[in-house]
Amino acid sequence: MSNDRTTVAVHGATGYAARELLTILLRHPGAEIVALTTRRDDAPHVADVHPALRGRLDLRCENLSPAELAERAEVVFLCTPHGASMAVVPELLAAGAKVIDLSADYRLNDPAVYAEWYKLEHTDAARLPDTVYGLPELFRDVIPAASLVANPGCYTSASILALAPLLAGGWIEPSGIIVDAKSGASGAGRNPKLGTLFSEVNESLAAYAVGDHRHQPEIEQALAGVAGAAVDVLFTPHLVPMDRGILATIYATPANLAGTERLLDVMRAFYADSPFVRVLDGLPGTKATTGTNFCDLTVRTAKGRVVVLAALDNLVKGAAGVAVQNFNLITGRPETTGFPEAGG
Amino acid sequence: MSNDRTTVAVHGATGYAARELLTILLRHPGAEIVALTTRRDDAPHVADVHPALRGRLDLRCENLSPAELAERAEVVFLCTPHGASMAVVPELLAAGAKVIDLSADYRLNDPAVYAEWYKLEHTDAARLPDTVYGLPELFRDVIPAASLVANPGCYTSASILALAPLLAGGWIEPSGIIVDAKSGASGAGRNPKLGTLFSEVNESLAAYAVGDHRHQPEIEQALAGVAGAAVDVLFTPHLVPMDRGILATIYATPANLAGTERLLDVMRAFYADSPFVRVLDGLPGTKATTGTNFCDLTVRTAKGRVVVLAALDNLVKGAAGVAVQNFNLITGRPETTGFPEAGG
Amino acid sequence: MSNDRTTVAVHGATGYAARELLTILLRHPGAEIVALTTRRDDAPHVADVHPALRGRLDLRCENLSPAELAERAEVVFLCTPHGASMAVVPELLAAGAKVIDLSADYRLNDPAVYAEWYKLEHTDAARLPDTVYGLPELFRDVIPAASLVANPGCYTSASILALAPLLAGGWIEPSGIIVDAKSGASGAGRNPKLGTLFSEVNESLAAYAVGDHRHQPEIEQALAGVAGAAVDVLFTPHLVPMDRGILATIYATPANLAGTERLLDVMRAFYADSPFVRVLDGLPGTKATTGTNFCDLTVRTAKGRVVVLAALDNLVKGAAGVAVQNFNLITGRPETTGFPEAGG
Amino acid sequence: MSNDRTTVAVHGATGYAARELLTILLRHPGAEIVALTTRRDDAPHVADVHPALRGRLDLRCENLSPAELAERAEVVFLCTPHGASMAVVPELLAAGAKVIDLSADYRLNDPAVYAEWYKLEHTDAARLPDTVYGLPELFRDVIPAASLVANPGCYTSASILALAPLLAGGWIEPSGIIVDAKSGASGAGRNPKLGTLFSEVNESLAAYAVGDHRHQPEIEQALAGVAGAAVDVLFTPHLVPMDRGILATIYATPANLAGTERLLDVMRAFYADSPFVRVLDGLPGTKATTGTNFCDLTVRTAKGRVVVLAALDNLVKGAAGVAVQNFNLITGRPETTGFPEAGG
């Protein structure tokens, strides 16, 4: 499968993550985009939906069934909202397609936790416990064999990548972790809402869903596996007046007396073989990651705390980029294929 | 009427111009806000609609009839969309209220022109020919006696104020005028639409409605009165990634050999008694007008053209500020009352 | 002194806080601006330095000595950088002027702490221990008698106002407090620097000075007085792509089992007589405070922590607005004079 | 030269256009970056100058002489300011390097015009008349043989590409053309200046250099060649609160009665073989071109005028991208090599 082009489809192709995904796939030497979908019935041309793609991709967004999708494409990316993904995954898999789901439907292993946080009974609950969580930096050993990959959330990727090295090595306590995260507005999606109008977001900064955001249990679940113990995270997201980018500022209790330099070494060693993680001496900023699949990290000790900082582009490393990393892994390609920023 | 507080109501109080209007009225020594309306039936508190007003105004936005409005308030500001204003004006006037309409419904004198540009039969057409156009710099003699004032559009105010002195004095030709206008996103209103989402507007610049914008006939009508001849304007609006502000860059054909200094003198003389127009030697920028009722102007001759530049805050001088200027005039107050930037 | 206008001067009038201060003073019924200064020798007109003030204030920015300043003005506002204020304060006071210093020079009581954080020997150290800290919400009893007021920092005002009620009542532990603060770019001043260029700040989010910012000891000093015990704060500032506004997201350890509602009541009671603090049920955002002297607060309990959120406009409540509050207090006026948002 | 990698150097590597150029060259299959320069003597690592390039390019910015540059690199890109380029070009060419100059030094053919607009005597005047103007859409026949290419300005590329088809075919008059152009702040460079601080540019819109910008004679010179007659352009640039992007709104007098559809056909035919020009039915916006080498164009007839609109990314198609197009041409490669948006 790795020598020729793999046929791919994007289900739910009208949002920001889908546009980013198409941009990456268009430059990918091993992907051939063969189908796009939308719930709309007027089959809009992708260039009318995403003007940046005019002249680059000549496809319409059709209202296709899972069977039609699976017939056309070997790999289907789901850019649908939660709830909509689980409605098509069983049929796609049954028809032999591989699926990379960018929604939250298959991220949580426990259907009860899903129901609690998403206020929705999971209709494909049996599949949850074994679905692979598609964060390649932690799970690149098991992703290649998967036919369904649950692509992680944007906030969660930043938070998990920041904390995993320190929890894995026992450098910080697994309880009492605070993640103060800030995101640009594209993370809120492309459906018109009052709260994401330009005149509302511009010159505005506010927290939302304090201690009550759906990425909180996702972070805790993934990190529990890393730490080998329950992990307790207080997660506070903020909406920042920019289009793209997430910065997570994370506060943890040290488990020993290691200083900044030692912890930087720990992080560098942990990610030595991860081409998309850059551990910095200086402080990361979102702008240095914009349009790339990098996650920039650093760590500091200060006032008896360990402070970890993570920056990434929410649409790339936080969504479409990691999806293509997963695509590379499940199709037997080098993880960096299609990413010029990593020489791929 | 000028010594005590005048009772005022804002009909359609949930948008950006209404918020700005309330902010100005709250600091106005002669206005007492007594009623706010919305089409919503849940009577939201104004502080939940406009968080900036929390603790400053304790009123709910109610779904009131014109009769109820006129019973409570001496002056009613209409911040309703076009079409909705003409549905209430006759009843408000009949009930004795004075009305300042921020919509486009009463700006055009000719019902046929209204129907052509707004794709709507005017239901109060008989009133159009005599309605006062509320641009005080041109019509402050007739506004005080009006019971209905048609508040001008934001683009139109900038364009008319820029061109009036030169057309009135015959310094430029009335035909072949080009108005290249640029506006912040608040001018597009507060209804959620794809085109005004933060992630669409941010880092984006585009023209729209080239030669086809509804402010074009409004500019031409007002300037024809000034010039004493038909005026022909090509109007091109642009959406700029900022919240507030309009800049109009206007190109006209000189009618004689006057240079920059002479034309600046003409503009200064024309606006000698207009406290809200500043004629600058330098080039105007929107930022110097933000939050104020000023319109900043300058003029240049270059390459055989006259170039006029106008900057204003679309929500203040382009909407709510001029509405309060009109309020001052129809209630017998100094034009600057309630405007600290003009010593009022 | 309270019936007539008080003559005021602004020393260091070319920056953003000075512009905001002038805007407030221009609408203030009890202030008469009589002098502005700059280190520049070309005596620029204030309208050329701050285009928004054109036509509103006809003064030049002169290079005046302290003696000249004190001769002209009863109250001198210092908008000079740290180091420059202590060079003029002794002479201004000796000449009989009252001084409101917006710099950091007189905020810290201990000269050794000042020297440690500002890398500068204090040249007026004897005055430090007794200088009044100009946060009216905490010190409005002692400010009126002061001839020198140390105006608080922007981050510090937000942090102290958020934490004071909970520390004063013993609702949270005084150690282990984390202040994750985010500021717009105007807080970084108006001197051209690479880091505050539009193309660097726009679409960018990063932390700086983690655990190492000069406002950290200022917060700890002020709160120690409130708590009656040493207070330990880890302070992390961030630069956000907006002009104005600070949001502080604060994490503390509860000292008892009080829930969100109880803590909201505590905050409301504490600020019952403070007209510029709004305690919200919902989450504060900077945009609702822009251009006003309000500090918006709320509190939540979540995951075993107390989370306090504070929003204010860094140039108003964080600098020029609180300076005018202090001006009102030392000239015997109501605290709200000159602030239309508070009915003043 | 076209099969192997060509060694390239970037002279003046610390600005925005240089960063963009490096980003494109890093993904280019035929370029090997071997040297970077700066006037600074501390030889900063490129990752400290451009954090986005960390981990992607391991070079220091050295203070190299032209001889050293020519020894290392076959092609030297000059990202130096005007005045600095002409100081190194003769020596670079003499040493056998090919040169692509992004400054204005070699764009104007007439040394007297250069001296008039740049207030500087040209020190390499003899070379001006024959230097190739590096706009491939017009000059792709002569660029391949050049050893020195004068890369066009950002505003000029947009203006020329918009007007060339209509002037070449005689569809518009060559006199009386108005170019109302709007640019993001990155066009103003990376040297810290008051006017490009975030707090000055944000929420701000203003014109500058009305009829007096240095790109005006450059546009007129290039278009005169196309039109076969003198071309007269009034050029008005504006600074817009965004990082990247130029939109030019251009007004011309029609030379005949052709309508919108006919003129669109003319433009499409003219650019049929130009892979980076997209002629749109709809109105172009800068956002659809961001990060790409596309120039999006359309044309309208309205009110007796021809209105042409052009959008491009000033750092790519307006600077670094067209430089790489030129690099491809002078090294015998397909014009699209290194541009995934064009399948290259």
Side-chain angles (χ1 to χ4, degrees):
Chain A
M1 196 166 174
S2 64
N3 288 326
D4 301 314
R5 292 203 167 224
T6 304
T7 50
V8 303
V10 178
H11 186 50
T14 59
Y16 295 131
R19 183 197 59 200
E20 197 66 29
L21 179 58
L22 293 171
T23 304
I24 300 173
L25 291 171
L26 277 169
R27 72 180 183 224
H28 194 290
E32 183 188 355
I33 306 168
V34 296
L36 308 175
T37 80
T38 176
R39 284 165 303 176
R40 291 166 53 181
D41 280 323
D42 57 343
H45 194 281
V46 68
D48 292 323
V49 174
H50 301 300
L53 299 183
R54 188 170 303 282
R56 303 166 66 182
L57 180 60
D58 189 17
L59 282 178
R60 293 190 166 274
C61 301
E62 303 168 84
N63 196 341
L64 299 178
S65 70
E68 292 169 309
L69 273 171
E71 195 175 343
R72 295 200 204 168
E74 294 165 88
V75 176
V76 178
F77 293 91
L78 304 182
C79 295
T80 34
H82 72 265
S85 286
M86 61 188 181
V88 297
V89 161
E91 202 172 341
L92 287 170
L93 294 174
K98 297 193 177 189
V99 177
I100 298 170
D101 179 20
L102 281 79
S103 89
D105 274 355
Y106 291 87
R107 294 179 194 156
L108 297 169
N109 298 141
D110 184 342
V113 176
Y114 181 87
E116 176 193 347
W117 285 87
Y118 290 89
K119 314 293 177 208
L120 206 58
E121 259 345 278
H122 205 291
T123 58
D124 190 24
R127 219 182 297 269
L128 288 192
D130 298 327
T131 300
V132 170
Y133 190 69
L135 194 60
E137 286 74 13
L138 295 184
F139 304 109
R140 62 169 61 91
D141 290 345
V142 296
I143 294 170
S147 52
L148 170 64
V149 179
N151 216 52
C154 50
Y155 282 130
T156 46
S157 283
S159 305
I160 296 168
L161 290 172
L163 287 163
L166 304 179
L167 283 169
W171 301 92
I172 56 173
E173 299 293 344
S175 69
I177 296 171
I178 293 166
V179 176
D180 191 283
K182 300 96 176 165
S183 175
S186 61
R190 207 184 183 196
N191 282 331
K193 282 176 288 193
L194 176 62
T196 46
L197 288 185
F198 184 86
S199 294
E200 304 287 321
V201 174
N202 183 49
E203 285 288 300
S204 166
L205 181 61
Y208 63 99
V210 178
D212 196 36
H213 191 280
R214 289 160 169 171
H215 286 182
Q216 190 170 286
E218 188 182 332
I219 297 169
E220 291 178 336
Q221 169 186 291
L223 289 176
V226 171
V231 171
D232 169 55
V233 170
L234 168 55
F235 181 76
T236 313
H238 300 74
L239 182 60
V240 176
M242 60 188 191
D243 184 7
R244 304 163 73 132
I246 282 179
L247 185 79
T249 312
I250 302 175
Y251 304 91
T253 307
N256 54 47
L257 293 175
T260 293
E261 289 308 317
R262 185 78 185 90
L263 298 180
L264 280 169
D265 287 344
V266 166
M267 297 188 84
R268 285 204 184 89
F270 192 89
Y271 290 118
D273 298 324
S274 288
F276 293 113
V277 177
R278 299 188 292 195
V279 179
L280 312 181
D281 291 323
L283 298 172
T286 58
K287 194 146 191 164
T289 67
T290 304
T292 78
N293 200 42
F294 290 118
C295 177
D296 284 357
L297 300 174
T298 200
V299 62
R300 294 286 184 276
T301 53
K303 287 267 184 175
R305 302 271 182 180
V306 172
V307 185
V308 197
L309 293 120
L312 54 73
D313 183 326
N314 59 304
L315 292 182
V316 188
K317 185 58 177 158
V322 67
V324 174
Q325 266 186 282
N326 287 322
F327 168 79
N328 287 335
L329 290 173
I330 66 172
T331 59
R333 297 187 170 85
E335 209 173 309
T336 55
T337 306
F339 294 102
E341 65 268 32
Chain B
M1 195 166 174
S2 64
N3 289 326
D4 301 314
R5 291 203 168 226
T6 305
T7 50
V8 304
V10 177
H11 186 49
T14 59
Y16 295 131
R19 183 197 60 202
E20 197 66 29
L21 179 59
L22 293 172
T23 304
I24 299 172
L25 291 171
L26 278 168
R27 72 181 184 223
H28 194 290
E32 184 187 354
I33 306 168
V34 297
L36 308 176
T37 79
T38 176
R39 284 164 305 176
R40 292 168 52 181
D41 280 323
D42 57 342
H45 193 281
V46 67
D48 291 323
V49 174
H50 301 300
L53 299 183
R54 189 169 302 282
R56 302 167 67 181
L57 180 60
D58 189 17
L59 282 178
R60 291 189 168 274
C61 301
E62 303 168 84
N63 197 340
L64 299 178
S65 69
E68 292 168 309
L69 272 172
E71 194 175 343
R72 294 201 205 168
E74 295 165 87
V75 176
V76 179
F77 293 90
L78 304 183
C79 295
T80 33
H82 71 267
S85 286
M86 63 188 180
V88 297
V89 160
E91 201 172 341
L92 286 170
L93 293 174
K98 297 192 177 190
V99 177
I100 297 169
D101 179 19
L102 280 80
S103 90
D105 274 355
Y106 291 88
R107 293 179 195 157
L108 296 169
N109 298 142
D110 183 342
V113 176
Y114 181 86
E116 175 192 349
W117 285 87
Y118 289 89
K119 314 296 176 203
L120 207 59
E121 261 341 280
H122 205 292
T123 58
D124 191 25
R127 218 181 300 268
L128 288 193
D130 297 326
T131 300
V132 170
Y133 190 69
L135 193 60
E137 285 74 13
L138 295 184
F139 303 110
R140 62 169 59 92
D141 290 345
V142 296
I143 294 170
S147 53
L148 170 65
V149 179
N151 216 51
C154 49
Y155 282 129
T156 47
S157 283
S159 305
I160 297 168
L161 291 172
L163 287 164
L166 304 179
L167 282 169
W171 301 91
I172 56 173
E173 299 293 344
S175 69
I177 296 172
I178 294 167
V179 177
D180 191 282
K182 300 95 176 168
S183 174
S186 61
R190 207 184 183 197
N191 281 331
K193 282 174 289 193
L194 177 62
T196 47
L197 288 184
F198 184 86
S199 294
E200 303 288 321
V201 174
N202 184 49
E203 287 288 299
S204 167
L205 180 61
Y208 62 100
V210 177
D212 196 36
H213 191 280
R214 288 159 169 172
H215 286 182
Q216 189 170 288
E218 188 182 332
I219 297 169
E220 291 178 336
Q221 169 187 290
L223 289 175
V226 171
V231 171
D232 168 54
V233 170
L234 167 55
F235 180 75
T236 312
H238 299 74
L239 181 60
V240 176
M242 59 186 194
D243 186 7
R244 303 161 73 131
I246 281 180
L247 185 78
T249 311
I250 301 174
Y251 305 90
T253 306
N256 54 46
L257 292 175
T260 293
E261 289 309 316
R262 185 77 185 89
L263 297 181
L264 280 168
D265 287 344
V266 166
M267 297 187 84
R268 286 206 183 87
F270 191 89
Y271 290 119
D273 298 323
S274 287
F276 293 112
V277 177
R278 299 187 292 194
V279 179
L280 312 181
D281 290 324
L283 298 172
T286 59
K287 194 148 190 163
T289 67
T290 304
T292 78
N293 200 43
F294 290 118
C295 177
D296 284 357
L297 299 175
T298 200
V299 62
R300 294 287 183 278
T301 52
K303 287 267 183 175
R305 301 271 182 181
V306 172
V307 185
V308 198
L309 293 121
L312 53 74
D313 183 328
N314 59 304
L315 292 181
V316 188
K317 185 58 177 160
V322 66
V324 174
Q325 265 185 282
N326 287 321
F327 168 80
N328 287 335
L329 290 172
I330 65 173
T331 60
R333 295 186 169 86
E335 209 172 308
T336 55
T337 306
F339 294 102
E341 65 268 31
Chain C
M1 195 166 173
S2 64
N3 289 326
D4 302 314
R5 291 203 168 225
T6 304
T7 51
V8 303
V10 177
H11 186 49
T14 59
Y16 295 130
R19 182 197 59 202
E20 196 66 29
L21 179 58
L22 293 172
T23 304
I24 300 172
L25 290 171
L26 278 168
R27 72 181 185 223
H28 194 289
E32 183 186 356
I33 306 168
V34 296
L36 308 176
T37 81
T38 176
R39 282 165 306 177
R40 291 167 53 179
D41 280 323
D42 57 342
H45 194 281
V46 67
D48 292 323
V49 174
H50 300 301
L53 299 183
R54 189 168 304 279
R56 302 167 65 182
L57 180 61
D58 189 17
L59 282 178
R60 292 188 167 276
C61 301
E62 303 170 83
N63 197 340
L64 299 178
S65 70
E68 291 170 308
L69 272 172
E71 196 174 342
R72 296 201 205 167
E74 295 165 89
V75 176
V76 178
F77 292 91
L78 304 182
C79 295
T80 34
H82 73 266
S85 286
M86 64 188 178
V88 298
V89 160
E91 202 172 341
L92 286 171
L93 294 174
K98 297 193 177 191
V99 177
I100 297 170
D101 180 19
L102 280 77
S103 90
D105 274 356
Y106 291 88
R107 293 178 194 158
L108 296 168
N109 299 140
D110 183 342
V113 176
Y114 181 87
E116 177 193 346
W117 286 86
Y118 289 88
K119 314 296 176 203
L120 206 58
E121 263 337 284
H122 205 290
T123 57
D124 191 25
R127 217 180 300 268
L128 288 193
D130 298 327
T131 300
V132 169
Y133 190 70
L135 194 60
E137 285 74 14
L138 295 184
F139 304 110
R140 61 168 62 92
D141 290 344
V142 296
I143 293 170
S147 53
L148 170 63
V149 178
N151 216 53
C154 50
Y155 282 129
T156 47
S157 284
S159 305
I160 296 168
L161 291 172
L163 286 163
L166 304 180
L167 283 169
W171 301 92
I172 57 172
E173 299 293 343
S175 69
I177 295 170
I178 293 167
V179 177
D180 191 283
K182 301 94 177 167
S183 175
S186 61
R190 207 184 184 197
N191 281 331
K193 282 176 290 195
L194 177 61
T196 46
L197 289 185
F198 184 86
S199 294
E200 304 286 322
V201 173
N202 183 49
E203 285 288 300
S204 166
L205 181 60
Y208 62 99
V210 177
D212 196 36
H213 191 280
R214 287 159 169 171
H215 286 181
Q216 189 170 287
E218 188 182 331
I219 297 168
E220 291 179 336
Q221 169 187 289
L223 289 176
V226 171
V231 171
D232 169 54
V233 170
L234 168 54
F235 180 77
T236 312
H238 300 74
L239 182 60
V240 176
M242 60 186 192
D243 186 6
R244 304 162 74 133
I246 282 179
L247 184 80
T249 312
I250 301 175
Y251 304 90
T253 306
N256 53 47
L257 293 175
T260 293
E261 289 308 318
R262 184 79 185 88
L263 298 180
L264 280 169
D265 286 343
V266 166
M267 297 188 84
R268 286 206 184 88
F270 192 89
Y271 290 118
D273 299 323
S274 288
F276 293 112
V277 177
R278 299 188 292 196
V279 179
L280 313 181
D281 291 324
L283 298 173
T286 59
K287 193 145 190 164
T289 68
T290 303
T292 79
N293 201 42
F294 290 118
C295 178
D296 284 358
L297 299 175
T298 200
V299 63
R300 294 287 183 278
T301 52
K303 287 266 183 175
R305 303 271 182 179
V306 172
V307 185
V308 197
L309 293 122
L312 53 74
D313 183 327
N314 59 303
L315 292 181
V316 187
K317 185 57 178 160
V322 67
V324 174
Q325 265 185 283
N326 286 322
F327 168 79
N328 287 336
L329 290 172
I330 66 173
T331 60
R333 296 186 168 87
E335 209 172 309
T336 54
T337 306
F339 294 102
E341 66 267 32
Chain D
M1 197 167 176
S2 63
N3 288 325
D4 301 314
R5 292 201 167 226
T6 304
T7 51
V8 304
V10 177
H11 186 49
T14 60
Y16 295 131
R19 183 197 59 201
E20 196 66 28
L21 179 58
L22 293 172
T23 304
I24 299 172
L25 291 171
L26 279 168
R27 73 180 183 223
H28 194 289
E32 183 187 354
I33 306 168
V34 296
L36 308 175
T37 80
T38 176
R39 283 165 304 177
R40 291 168 52 181
D41 280 323
D42 57 343
H45 194 282
V46 67
D48 292 323
V49 173
H50 300 300
L53 299 183
R54 189 169 303 281
R56 303 168 66 181
L57 180 60
D58 189 18
L59 282 178
R60 292 189 166 275
C61 301
E62 302 170 84
N63 196 340
L64 299 178
S65 70
E68 291 170 309
L69 272 172
E71 195 175 343
R72 295 200 204 169
E74 295 165 87
V75 176
V76 178
F77 293 91
L78 303 183
C79 295
T80 33
H82 72 266
S85 286
M86 63 188 179
V88 297
V89 161
E91 203 172 339
L92 286 170
L93 294 174
K98 297 192 177 191
V99 177
I100 297 169
D101 179 20
L102 281 79
S103 89
D105 274 356
Y106 292 87
R107 293 180 195 156
L108 296 168
N109 299 142
D110 183 342
V113 176
Y114 181 87
E116 176 193 347
W117 286 86
Y118 289 88
K119 314 295 176 202
L120 206 60
E121 260 340 282
H122 205 290
T123 58
D124 191 24
R127 217 181 301 269
L128 288 193
D130 298 327
T131 300
V132 170
Y133 190 69
L135 194 59
E137 285 75 14
L138 296 185
F139 305 109
R140 60 168 62 92
D141 289 345
V142 295
I143 294 171
S147 52
L148 170 64
V149 178
N151 215 52
C154 49
Y155 282 129
T156 47
S157 283
S159 305
I160 296 168
L161 291 172
L163 287 163
L166 303 180
L167 283 169
W171 301 92
I172 56 173
E173 300 292 343
S175 69
I177 296 171
I178 293 167
V179 177
D180 191 283
K182 302 93 176 167
S183 174
S186 61
R190 207 183 183 197
N191 281 331
K193 283 175 287 195
L194 176 61
T196 47
L197 289 185
F198 183 87
S199 294
E200 304 287 322
V201 175
N202 184 49
E203 286 287 302
S204 166
L205 181 59
Y208 63 100
V210 178
D212 196 36
H213 191 280
R214 287 159 170 171
H215 286 181
Q216 190 170 287
E218 189 183 331
I219 297 168
E220 291 178 336
Q221 169 187 291
L223 289 176
V226 171
V231 172
D232 169 55
V233 170
L234 167 54
F235 180 75
T236 312
H238 300 74
L239 182 60
V240 176
M242 60 186 191
D243 186 6
R244 304 162 73 133
I246 282 179
L247 185 78
T249 311
I250 301 175
Y251 304 91
T253 306
N256 53 47
L257 291 175
T260 292
E261 289 308 317
R262 184 78 185 90
L263 298 180
L264 280 169
D265 287 343
V266 166
M267 297 188 85
R268 285 206 183 88
F270 192 88
Y271 291 119
D273 298 324
S274 288
F276 294 113
V277 177
R278 299 187 292 195
V279 179
L280 312 180
D281 290 325
L283 297 172
T286 60
K287 195 148 191 162
T289 68
T290 304
T292 78
N293 200 44
F294 291 118
C295 177
D296 284 357
L297 299 174
T298 202
V299 62
R300 294 287 183 278
T301 51
K303 286 266 183 177
R305 302 270 182 181
V306 173
V307 185
V308 198
L309 294 120
L312 53 75
D313 182 328
N314 60 304
L315 293 181
V316 188
K317 186 57 179 159
V322 66
V324 175
Q325 265 184 283
N326 287 321
F327 169 79
N328 287 335
L329 290 172
I330 67 172
T331 60
R333 295 187 169 86
E335 210 172 309
T336 55
T337 306
F339 294 101
E341 66 267 31

